[in-house]
């Protein structure tokens, strides 16, 4: 169904910092493919608003592109936000003017006539679609943690590039990609370099595809499983049965290639770099993964080694996410850090 004034798509995400993008006071606009996207800061929230879609379905279809803009901004400038993209219901009122008066009174604000009608209320965070001629109020609370700022010129470029170039619905088609993005964003919330490093290495683990060992090794494991099944069929002792089941589970896991080999393969096949640089990054990532083992099992890590491994992990995650999302392939190793 088409509205005379079209439909508006509004996406709001809670950011992790105070005024993370400078220059939003005048609510600037970026134009991507004929679609005007207004960008504004509302307290703890960054809001992207695209208007005048012919139908609600057209507005919904543009949502992945706005997400792509935010992903690109996050990767390019370490822009940390909470990636909640659920759709919010709008509570509409039969009398918009009465609703405006009640809302003002509830918040202890003066009622100035004539009031601006309020057609509906909803929560701030998430996305909404509504008629462009409606006045909708958005309610939300926020909290502050880190402090980092990106100029509007750089943010506008990153948003526009992401909106235009993102592989539409890439994160929805690949659940592991969505999880890795969440981990990347979460790394900026961690209180220590060690925690950030471990979170980024987990993101690499999630992105690395599960592959089987060589067929000869798998064949031996299959034969072992058959032998275990024979023992299970004949065994009656409960402790022995538990041990055999545990052995089967453990050896079944052994069919997969080791995680560090999977991560190495991931970098060598997906990192958008030249062959020499890709090989160098793969070696560094494997070394970082070895350090991860030391961090988890012994806790004894040299601070300089940890910092270097953290930089390697961050660079690798950024490059791989950018490739999976179909975004710019330029290496932003020198991008400002949080």
């Amino acid at each position: 169904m088409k509205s005379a004034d079209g439909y508006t798509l509004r996406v709001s995400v809670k950011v992790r910092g105070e005024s993370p993008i400078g220059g939003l006071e005048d609510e600037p606009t970026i134009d991507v493919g004929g679609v005007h996207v207004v960008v504004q800061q509302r307290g703890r929230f960054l809001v992207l608003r695209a208007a005048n879609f012919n139908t609600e379905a057209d507005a919904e279809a543009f949502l992945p592109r706005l997400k792509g803009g935010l992903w690109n901004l996050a990767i390019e400038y370490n822009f940390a936000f909470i990636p909640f993209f659920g759709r919010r219901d709008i509570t509409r009122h039969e009398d918009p003017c009465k609703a405006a008066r009640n809302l003002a009174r509830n918040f202890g604000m003066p009622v100035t006539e004539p009031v601006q009608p309020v057609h509906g209320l909803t929560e701030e965070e998430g996305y909404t679609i509504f008629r462009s001629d409606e006045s909708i109020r958005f309610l939300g609370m926020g909290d502050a943690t880190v402090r980092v700022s990106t100029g509007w010129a750089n943010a506008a470029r990153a948003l526009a590039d992401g909106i235009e170039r993102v592989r539409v619905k890439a994160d929805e088609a690949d659940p592991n990609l969505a999880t890795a993005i969440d981990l990347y964003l979460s790394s900026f919330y961690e209180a220590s370099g060690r925690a950030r490093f471990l979170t980024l290495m987990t993101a690499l683990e999630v992105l690395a595809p599960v592959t089987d060992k060589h067929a000869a090794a798998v064949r031996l494991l299959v034969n072992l499983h058959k032998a275990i099944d024979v023992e299970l069929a004949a065994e009656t002792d409960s402790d022995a049965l538990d041990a055999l089941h545990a052995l089967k589970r453990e050896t079944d896991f052994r069919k997969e290639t080791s995680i560090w080999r999977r991560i190495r393969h991931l970098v060598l096949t997906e990192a958008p770099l030249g062959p020499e640089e890709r090989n160098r990054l793969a070696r560094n990532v494997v070394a970082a993964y070895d350090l991860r083992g030391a961090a988890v099992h012994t806790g004894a890590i040299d601070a300089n080694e940890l910092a270097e491994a953290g930089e390697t992990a961050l660079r690798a995650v950024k490059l791989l996410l950018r490739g999976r999302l179909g975004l710019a392939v330029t290496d932003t190793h020198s991008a400002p850090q949080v």
Side-chain angles (χ1 to χ4, degrees), residues 62-180:
F62 199 73
L63 174 64
R65 297 204 171 276
L66 292 186
K67 291 168 65 176
L70 290 167
W71 295 145
N72 199 46
L73 186 62
I75 294 170
E76 290 272 355
Y77 295 105
N78 298 340
F79 180 82
F81 65 91
I82 298 175
F84 175 77
F85 292 108
R87 183 166 182 173
R88 295 297 194 182
D89 293 328
I90 297 174
T91 302
R92 288 181 166 82
H93 306 281
E94 294 183 2
D95 188 337
C97 291
K98 181 178 180 181
R101 296 185 187 97
N102 290 338
L103 188 64
R105 294 189 185 99
N106 288 340
F107 283 90
M109 300 169 60
V111 178
T112 304
E113 299 290 348
V115 297
Q116 180 184 1
V118 174
H119 296 96
L121 287 174
T122 188
E123 295 177 76
E124 176 67 55
E125 192 174 13
Y127 83 94
T128 49
I129 297 175
F130 49 91
R131 295 191 305 275
S132 296
D133 61 346
E134 289 184 304
S135 175
I136 307 297
R137 294 292 178 88
F138 301 88
L139 306 177
M141 299 294 290
D143 59 332
T145 51
V146 298
R147 184 182 183 90
V148 63
S149 182
T150 299
W152 167 242
N154 289 330
R157 177 189 56 77
L159 283 169
D161 284 349
I163 291 170
E164 190 170 22
R165 305 171 74 161
V166 69
R167 188 177 297 122
V168 177
K169 297 186 178 180
D171 60 317
E172 296 175 12
D174 184 354
N176 287 346
L177 174 58
T179 300

Side-chain angles (χ1 to χ4, degrees), residues 10-36:
R10 183 185 187 276
V11 175
S12 176
V13 294
K14 184 182 290 186
V15 300
R16 307 294 292 196
E18 297 180 13
S19 301
I21 300 177
L24 298 186
E25 295 80 8
D26 296 328
E27 299 186 5
T29 301
I30 54 177
D31 190 341
V32 183
V35 176
H36 300 285

